[in-house]
Amino acid sequence: MRVLGDFDLAEEVVQDSLVAALETWPEQGIPDKPGAWLMTTARRRAIDILRRNTRYREKLALMERSALTPEPSEADDRLRLIFTCCHPALSQEAQVALTLRAVVGFTTAEIGSAFLVAEATVAQRIVRAKRKIVDAHIPYRVPEGGELAGRLDGVLAVLYLMFNEGYLSRGAQRAMRRDLADDALWLTRLVATLLPDQPEVLGLLALMKLNLARSEARFDASGEMVLLPDQDRSLWDHAAIADGIATLERAGGMRASGPYQVQAAIAALHAEAPSWAETDWHQIVVLYEALVRMADSPVVRLNRAVALSHFAGPEVALGEVNDLALSLSGYHLFHSTRAELLDQVGEPVLAREARRRALDLCQNPAERSLLERKLRS
Amino acid sequence: MKYVLMFAGSVDEQEAWEKMPDATRVAAYERVNQWFEEHSRAGRITGGAELQGPSSATTVRIKNGKAVVTDGPFIEAKEIIGGFAVVEVKDLDEALEMAKTWPGGGIVEVRPVVDHSEG
């Protein structure tokens, strides 16, 4: 589509080559020795580990780079298409829909069901977005130089949104959409292959891998949700954890930290802890501090407060959480987190109240069931 | 590809501009002029103007063939358009690059111009 207006044609060409890539995508085994991940904040130890794992990292880098060996022009087309779909001149909703449609090959019905929007709305969003691409001459190109970082942030935001909707659905129909999460992972891996020198792409990839590695333990046999403290850690996919950590180490080696890498490092610390009690809360709080500096948001602060409760006690954490009431009053996890902390400081009546509020705001069936169980106990 | 860059700002910004000490305003105009000159020399700007404030506006509404003249801008908004530039660039990214470096502050809306030459 370097010739403008041929968006549909470009989409088709790229989809064909993606299907071909999918068919030949090698399902490689994960190297057998999991490396312990340490954040750059623990530099001294990190350097040791990196030395120890150099060979392993090289092997993995080689594997990931050779996972997809498209013709250079094909790779360029794919990347151009992704950047065009995620152009900031399009609304983020349109970016997500267009990326799923044009790059991953979802039907409009599938996009609608994944994001709880009517199919007609999705179709209209896509038509409008394509029309804008043509009318406003949105270029079909990969941004260069100083422009790349900013535009890449937009692409990663779309990928992360896709993943999160798959990992823990906001909707009432299903708790998790593994297919959507897997597609987001696949697409992120593709971007990482096409842009191998971008540490934040690898950071996001590692974050997704580490979260997905816990999938088996997140729901029990009857489909009830099991939260991290209560999960059977032997059900975690330890090979996938090692893979995620190796990806994060590769990102760390590029010496440019960023919010996705930090979140992945937090996920890695959880993944490596033998139990909830033995989690390195100090390190996790340090990482959340870093995250607040890089990408401050009320949700990040809420998560930091949870980590802080294990390190500085529930009273301190509750104070932090209460400070977020204004911005997070419509977010169910704010109320359920508050409920947990209120229980810990011996305020069961207030805790119940907060839990009821969380239930009112939550649609995900597994999360609702968990809240209901706690309200009954 | 032709675009119009519309330079807008809030009413507050407009007032702040008017209350600016002369020396500061001269310096600000200087930066705006430089921007215009630079892009004109590079062939990217083909036209443009700074508009007087909304209090100077008169609106003509044509309804059923009859023209009704009223005082004021056609829409009472918190943002007002202070000027525009007609630019000729490769694509939206280049137009956005220009908008991002606009030294006048406030808001820049970028709109493609309809091309009547084809079809």
Side-chain angles (χ1 to χ4, degrees), chain B residues 36-117:
Chain B
F36 261 97
E37 266 170 37
E38 219 173 90
H39 288 294
S40 300
R41 241 182 287 122
R44 285 189 286 264
I45 290 182
T46 59
E50 183 190 357
L51 303 179
Q52 292 201 28
S55 59
S56 69
T58 308
T59 300
V60 180
R61 281 192 174 77
I62 298 152
K63 227 177 180 179
N64 305 328
K66 255 174 74 180
V68 181
V69 178
T70 50
D71 173 37
F74 80 97
I75 186 166
E76 286 291 344
K78 287 199 187 80
E79 275 84 27
I80 49 184
I81 293 181
F84 67 95
V86 182
V87 307
E88 176 75 57
V89 289
K90 196 164 87 246
D91 52 39
L92 183 65
D93 279 1
E94 205 182 327
L96 293 178
E97 245 359 273
M98 285 179 74
K100 284 179 192 166
T101 60
W102 167 245
I107 301 162
V108 184
E109 182 175 319
V110 180
R111 283 244 209 138
V113 167
V114 177
D115 183 2
H116 286 291
S117 65

Side-chain angles (χ1 to χ4, degrees), chain A residues 87 89 135-139 141, chain B residues 1 3 90-93 96 112:
Chain A
H87 196 282
D135 288 348
H137 260 238
I138 291 178
R141 64 186 261 271
Chain B
M1 183 77 185
Y3 298 85
K90 196 164 87 246
D91 52 39
L92 183 65
D93 279 1
L96 293 178

Side-chain angles (χ1 to χ4, degrees), chain A residues 1-77:
Chain A
M1 204 182 71
R2 272 134 294 176
V3 191
L4 256 131
D6 295 342
F7 185 85
D8 287 316
L9 182 66
E11 186 183 329
E12 234 169 77
V13 168
V14 170
Q15 264 177 34
D16 285 350
S17 63
L18 285 190
V19 169
L22 255 182
E23 281 164 355
T24 53
W25 196 283
E27 283 300 330
Q28 301 251 9
I30 302 303
D32 43 26
K33 185 107 170 116
W37 165 252
L38 284 158
M39 239 325 262
T40 39
T41 42
R43 221 176 175 161
R44 194 166 34 82
R45 284 171 70 203
I47 289 167
D48 283 343
I49 302 262
L50 285 179
R51 265 196 210 116
R52 197 146 41 88
N53 284 341
T54 304
R55 262 187 43 226
Y56 165 53
R57 272 171 50 238
E58 280 169 359
K59 219 167 86 185
L60 197 87
L62 202 70
M63 184 187 97
E64 292 227 14
R65 266 172 220 195
S66 62
L68 189 76
T69 45
E71 295 293 311
S73 67
E74 253 178 45
D76 289 352
D77 271 341

Side-chain angles (χ1 to χ4, degrees), chain A residues 73-356:
Chain A
S73 67
E74 253 178 45
D76 289 352
D77 271 341
R78 242 170 252 172
L79 207 52
R80 273 193 208 102
L81 187 63
I82 292 169
F83 273 100
T84 306
C85 291
C86 298
H87 196 282
L90 306 171
S91 74
Q92 197 177 47
E93 287 157 341
Q95 292 176 30
V96 172
L98 206 55
T99 306
L100 282 172
R101 178 76 201 89
V103 188
V104 189
F106 270 44
T107 64
T108 47
E110 284 169 331
I111 299 168
S113 96
F115 287 90
L116 316 165
V117 202
E119 187 187 346
T121 311
V122 174
Q124 199 181 31
R125 243 174 230 169
I126 291 175
V127 167
R128 274 201 195 137
K130 283 186 180 175
R131 196 178 299 149
K132 181 160 184 189
I133 290 172
V134 174
D135 288 348
H137 260 238
I138 291 178
Y140 184 59
R141 64 186 261 271
V142 176
E144 285 163 6
E147 215 190 331
L148 179 64
R151 289 285 308 278
L152 190 59
D153 281 349
V155 171
L156 297 182
V158 165
L159 295 173
Y160 195 33
L161 206 119
M162 243 180 236
F163 180 81
N164 283 335
E165 187 52 39
Y167 191 68
L168 189 61
S169 175
R170 281 168 302 165
Q173 291 146 336
R174 276 159 66 190
M176 186 188 180
R177 294 173 182 277
R178 179 69 200 239
D179 53 341
L180 187 59
D182 280 340
D183 281 324
L185 175 75
W186 172 79
L187 195 51
T188 308
R189 189 177 277 142
L190 176 69
V191 174
T193 311
L194 299 174
L195 292 171
D197 302 324
Q198 294 293 329
E200 277 292 88
V201 181
L202 292 175
L204 179 58
L205 183 60
L207 178 59
M208 290 177 179
K209 285 176 177 176
L210 289 164
N211 282 337
L212 283 175
R214 300 199 296 254
S215 294
E216 287 302 312
R218 291 177 64 219
F219 300 95
D220 67 16
S222 51
E224 296 288 337
M225 189 166 194
V226 185
L227 293 181
L228 191 54
D230 308 316
Q231 284 175 12
D232 175 357
R233 295 179 181 223
S234 69
L235 293 175
W236 291 355
D237 182 343
H238 291 279
I241 290 172
D243 180 33
I245 287 169
T247 304
L248 185 54
E249 282 171 349
R250 213 144 59 77
M254 296 174 187
R255 303 241 171 275
S257 196
Y260 291 115
Q261 291 171 75
V262 173
Q263 288 176 82
I266 293 168
L269 283 170
H270 280 301
E272 288 193 316
S275 69
W276 181 251
E278 290 164 275
T279 306
D280 188 348
W281 293 111
H282 175 67
Q283 186 74 353
I284 289 182
V285 171
V286 168
L287 289 172
Y288 272 118
E289 295 292 340
L291 195 55
V292 166
R293 279 194 300 276
M294 285 174 190
D296 196 2
S297 82
V299 173
V300 169
R301 284 171 181 263
L302 182 68
N303 287 321
R304 184 183 60 174
V306 174
L308 205 58
S309 76
H310 298 277
F311 184 61
E315 291 85 2
V316 178
L318 190 59
E320 295 261 315
V321 170
N322 286 339
D323 287 345
L324 302 168
L326 211 61
S327 38
L328 291 181
S329 63
Y331 183 49
H332 70 278
L333 287 179
F334 164 76
H335 297 284
S336 57
T337 303
R338 232 183 125 244
E340 293 298 318
L341 294 171
L342 284 165
D343 271 336
Q344 288 174 34
V345 299
E347 292 279 6
V349 180
L350 290 174
R352 278 185 74 79
E353 209 175 284
R355 210 160 264 132
R356 277 209 200 89

